[in-house]
């Protein structure tokens, strides 16, 4: 199976929902932050503390969130990217509603800020993982460096 775009945004979003972690990318530079997240009514929500991640997420640039996975039974891998604007949840009702979401930070510390990403675009790819013998370069016959 050659890399192929997935046929629907709904299918991409369902795969994204099933992943347990992702990465958040920012439009103003190559910053990438691992985040655990959940989905809520067609949006993505994550918790974070004050600092670089929060500042970058709330900058004027859109963010991209990526999640990847592979089905070990079929060998089919997937990658989904959601792009959109991140917004800090500040309304009491919005913050209270996040408490019922299955959102548990992996790292200790205060994670007092809830950020919602409203997708502007959702795209994905699906492909079969290549067996190692098609990409592995054996080290046999390779020139060795001098012993230091």
């Amino acid at each position: 199976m050659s890399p192929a775009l997935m046929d629907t945004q709904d299918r991409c979003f369902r795969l994204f929902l099933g992943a347990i972690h992702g990465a958040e990318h920012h439009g103003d530079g190559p910053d990438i932050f691992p985040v655990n997240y959940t989905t809520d009514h067609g949006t993505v929500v994550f918790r974070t503390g004050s600092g670089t991640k929060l500042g970058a997420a709330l900058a004027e640039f859109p963010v991209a969130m990526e999640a990847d996975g592979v089905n070990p039974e079929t060998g089919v891998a997937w990658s989904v990217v959601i792009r959109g604007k991140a917004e800090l949840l500040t309304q009491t009702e919005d913050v209270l509603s996040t408490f019922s979401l299955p959102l548990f930070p992996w790292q200790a510390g205060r994670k007092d800020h809830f950020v919602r990403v409203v997708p502007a675009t959702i795209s994905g790819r699906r492909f079969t993982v290549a067996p190692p013998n098609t990409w592995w370069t054996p080290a046999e016959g390779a020139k060795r460096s001098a012993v230091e």
Side-chain angles (χ1 to χ4, degrees), residues 92-115:
T92 303
E93 184 177 314
D94 292 336
V95 173
L96 289 175
S97 73
T98 63
F99 292 146
S100 64
L101 297 174
L103 190 55
F104 308 102
W106 291 347
Q107 192 175 30
R110 294 184 64 144
K111 310 289 185 197
D112 297 336
H113 303 286
F114 292 84
V115 178

Side-chain angles (χ1 to χ4, degrees), residues 27-49:
D28 64 337
D31 291 333
I32 300 172
F33 300 100
V35 294
N36 64 326
Y37 61 87
T38 191
T39 57
D40 182 42
H41 302 293
T43 67
V44 179
V45 178
F46 65 92
R47 290 177 70 165
T48 189

Side-chain angles (χ1 to χ4, degrees), residues 5 9-10 24 26 33 39 70 74-75 79 82 103 119 131-132 144:
L5 294 176
Q9 287 189 351
D10 184 56
E24 175 195 13
H26 302 283
F33 300 100
T39 57
V70 65
T74 65
S79 179
I82 292 178
L103 190 55
R144 306 273 180 200

Side-chain angles (χ1 to χ4, degrees), residues 35-91:
V35 294
N36 64 326
Y37 61 87
T38 191
T39 57
D40 182 42
H41 302 293
T43 67
V44 179
V45 178
F46 65 92
R47 290 177 70 165
T48 189
S50 297
T52 307
K53 187 188 318 178
L54 180 63
L58 300 179
E60 64 181 284
F61 302 100
V63 300
M65 296 189 71
E66 177 182 2
D68 308 298
V70 65
N71 181 329
E73 295 171 10
T74 65
V76 174
W78 57 268
S79 179
V80 173
V81 175
I82 292 178
R83 292 177 179 84
K85 186 73 176 143
E87 56 190 41
L88 182 63
L89 298 181
T90 57
Q91 298 293 319

